[in-house]
Amino acid sequence: DGGITQSPKYLFRKEGQNVTLSCEQNLNHDAMYWYRQDPGQGLRLIYYSQIVNDFQKGDIAEGYSVSREKKESFPLTVTSAQKNPTAFYLCASSIRPGLAGYNEQFFGPGTRLTVL
Amino acid sequence: QKEVEQDPGPLSVPEGAIVSLNCTYSNSAFQYFMWYRQYSRKGPELLMYTYSSGNKEDGRFTAQVDKSSKYISLFIRDSQPSDSATYLCAMRNNYGQNFVFGPGTRLSVLP
């Protein structure tokens, strides 16, 4: 079964803790993305990666960090510097960025992070 | 002004109604337009995609793009309770790296 998996589904964090959200894909896609979704605000891009060992900041990167050591994996760390981390986090992938064509993004099931 | 605007709803319709969902945008360079459906607490799934202006039909769903007005629409015919979800529009330019998403419209189809 090809697709994108995210874990955990629900995550609770205490103030001051760093937490890491997992994202894995077996679609052989080059590009991977992290979005944050808050009610009424749609999807906001946190980080994206077009190729292994390279990633770029999105619109709201402050307080987050990522790595891309393997093509299949793009974990997101929510650091204690992120002032309001409670949100629904979505990981996505697409086949090849920057090319003409639809290049649609496929999404994982999401992780809901709550700060206690 | 946001790059992509979408009425957040909620929009409630009776079963069997025709639903019209819309997005407006400001960037005339957008060429690829998509509609995603997102059920509560799930990831979005791609529903329809279109290139440039025109219509595309897939079963009960029709996507329309009017680039001159910077306006895109998704029509759902014979709406079903299972269509109750949030609908997100997304768009990008020809060689753009990333999509820009609308905030989504929440739809409820009442039996």
Side-chain angles (χ1 to χ4, degrees), chain A residues 11-22:
Chain A
L11 185 58
F12 297 91
R13 191 196 92 170
K14 292 182 181 178
E15 295 271 359
Q17 279 184 337
N18 293 354
V19 291
T20 298
L21 283 59
S22 168

Side-chain angles (χ1 to χ4, degrees), chain A residues 102-113:
Chain A
Y102 292 106
N103 203 23
E104 61 264 34
Q105 294 185 3
F106 296 88
F107 285 86
T111 293
R112 186 164 299 277
L113 172 64

